[in-house]
Amino acid sequence: PPFLGHQSTFQHLETMRKTNRLPHALLFTGPEGIGKQKVAKQFAKILLCDKSKAPCETSPEPSRRKCRSCLFETLENHPDFFFITPDEGRIKIDTIRELFKQLQLRPMVSQQKVVLINDAHTMNAAAANALLKTLEEPPTNTFFLLICHALGWLPKTIVSRSQKVRFSPLSKEELEQVLAQQEIKIPDSLLNLAHGSPLHAIQINEMKEQLPEVKTLIEEMTPAKSWQLTQEVIEADQVPLFLDTLLQKIHQSLTSGKSPANFTFDLLTFADRILEFKKDLRLNANPKIHLSRLLLFFKEPLETRL
């Protein structure tokens, strides 16, 4: 399969499968939006396929008859495939309990079942504990594929019971190829902020009008502008990416030697504020209040910035 940038990772998975060394739980880790879910879904099709040259839907022999598993129009319609994704930002215990009930039944079409948990790090504590019990005593012929871009948020007990499969960011050339396939052209200045993630490149390009320069924050930000910008970022549902991009702009300003005179310490303190805000977001902080206030950091009296 044409997994740009991840061919060796996919081949590693295939080698484990073909040599019967595939563990019951795989943890796909790496930056957000670089193709982990695409690889996971393709691998799920292979695990569910009954043919030796799986999946038979990609066979170069058009006349070759497809197995029952590959006849399903989409993977999500497959009765032995379970796709778990966050609901309102969280994977909750009721979802894992319902999954466990389904896993007690025999496979309906394939010889095994596949569970794909997207954004596994969003499980709340109860859901994570319930999943841990399942991973400790996994049902027969069931494979778990966990996707995570924030490994530090996932309980160590779950990490230790899964085999990590690391995905690297795409190179700039690979990133440009992926975007070209979608007929998307993004300036280099924005591509450099995406850190090898096609998803982030597209999202950053879409919100480029909302991305203030460091100089703008220092010299031109007003309460009215900060409130309007906050509203636009929240409506676009891009608060975490907006904060990450601000951090990158600060880093670029500091490392390029072009940061405004006498503002090095202030920029480092501002970066700390952003990191604190990111932690508060996980605790359900109100982004409207916090982001608007954050954008006015350089308008605060000097003594309150510390």
Side-chain angles (χ1 to χ4, degrees):
F3 297 128
L4 201 58
H6 305 311
Q7 293 91 338
S8 61
T9 302
F10 187 80
Q11 189 55 50
H12 173 63
L13 292 170
E14 274 289 76
T15 299
M16 285 195 293
R17 180 184 72 87
K18 292 176 179 178
T19 56
N20 296 317
R21 293 186 293 110
L22 195 64
H24 69 276
L26 292 168
L27 176 57
F28 290 10
T29 68
E32 184 180 20
I34 60 171
K36 300 187 297 299
Q37 186 183 138
K38 184 177 181 181
V39 173
K41 286 188 173 181
Q42 181 65 19
F43 195 56
K45 290 180 181 180
I46 290 174
L47 291 173
L48 293 169
C49 181
D50 293 333
K51 303 287 178 120
S52 58
K53 295 182 179 179
C56 51
E57 66 169 24
T58 60
S59 170
E61 307 166 31
S63 60
R64 190 157 70 102
R65 188 173 181 180
K66 292 182 181 180
C67 69
R68 290 180 64 200
S69 179
C70 290
L71 283 173
F72 282 89
E73 186 175 344
T74 65
L75 184 62
E76 282 74 11
N77 288 333
H78 199 297
D80 299 321
F81 175 75
F82 304 88
F83 184 48
I84 307 297
T85 192
D87 177 19
E88 296 182 349
R90 288 290 185 190
I91 296 175
K92 301 166 187 173
I93 187 170
D94 289 345
T95 301
I96 302 300
R97 283 174 175 165
E98 181 60 30
L99 169 67
F100 185 72
K101 290 179 184 177
Q102 296 295 325
L103 295 181
Q104 302 310 302
L105 305 175
R106 292 174 59 86
M108 296 179 64
V109 175
S110 301
Q111 297 179 11
Q112 47 216 3
K113 296 183 178 184
V114 177
V115 178
L116 197 164
I117 303 181
N118 195 40
D119 291 337
H121 53 276
T122 63
M123 285 186 288
N124 61 26
N129 287 333
L131 179 66
L132 178 61
K133 293 177 182 177
T134 304
L135 294 181
E136 288 175 336
E137 298 180 10
T140 306
N141 296 328
T142 300
F143 292 97
F144 293 84
L145 308 179
L146 282 65
I147 299 176
C148 171
H149 64 261
L151 196 58
W153 297 0
L154 201 59
K156 292 181 180 178
T157 47
I158 289 181
V159 175
S160 66
R161 283 166 175 77
S162 309
Q163 182 167 325
K164 290 195 286 292
V165 180
R166 301 185 187 280
F167 286 72
S168 300
L170 302 185
S171 68
K172 184 181 177 183
E173 292 72 21
E174 292 167 338
L175 187 56
E176 289 174 333
Q177 287 181 54
V178 171
L179 295 172
Q181 290 170 1
Q182 302 178 51
E183 299 183 351
I184 297 173
K185 177 65 176 176
I186 296 177
D188 283 355
S189 59
L190 296 180
L191 277 183
N192 293 334
L193 296 173
H195 281 299
S197 167
L199 174 63
H200 283 178
I202 293 170
Q203 291 173 334
I204 290 171
N205 189 54
E206 289 175 347
M207 66 175 187
K208 59 188 174 187
E209 300 301 326
Q210 285 79 44
L211 290 174
E213 297 298 330
V214 170
K215 185 178 179 181
T216 301
L217 287 171
I218 293 174
E219 299 178 359
E220 302 174 20
M221 190 56 63
T222 64
K225 287 181 179 179
S226 71
W227 182 252
Q228 180 182 352
L229 182 54
T230 295
Q231 294 292 105
E232 292 173 357
V233 173
I234 290 174
E235 287 175 7
D237 195 25
Q238 294 295 353
V239 175
L241 181 61
F242 179 82
L243 295 175
D244 286 340
T245 308
L246 272 185
L247 284 171
Q248 292 171 58
K249 282 181 172 287
I250 294 168
H251 179 265
Q252 287 180 352
S253 181
L254 290 169
T255 56
S256 67
K258 297 179 180 179
S259 59
N262 303 320
F263 271 92
T264 298
F265 181 76
D266 298 80
L267 288 171
L268 290 171
T269 307
F270 184 46
D272 282 339
R273 286 276 188 94
I274 295 173
L275 292 172
E276 288 175 10
F277 180 28
K278 289 186 66 176
K279 290 179 182 178
D280 291 341
L281 278 177
R282 293 199 64 218
L283 301 175
N284 297 319
N286 187 331
K288 282 189 179 181
I289 297 174
H290 286 70
L291 182 55
S292 181
R293 187 177 299 163
L294 179 74
L295 293 171
L296 290 170
F297 171 83
F298 295 99
K299 298 303 179 183
E300 294 180 9
L302 181 60
E303 61 272 15
T304 66
R305 296 184 197 169
L306 305 179

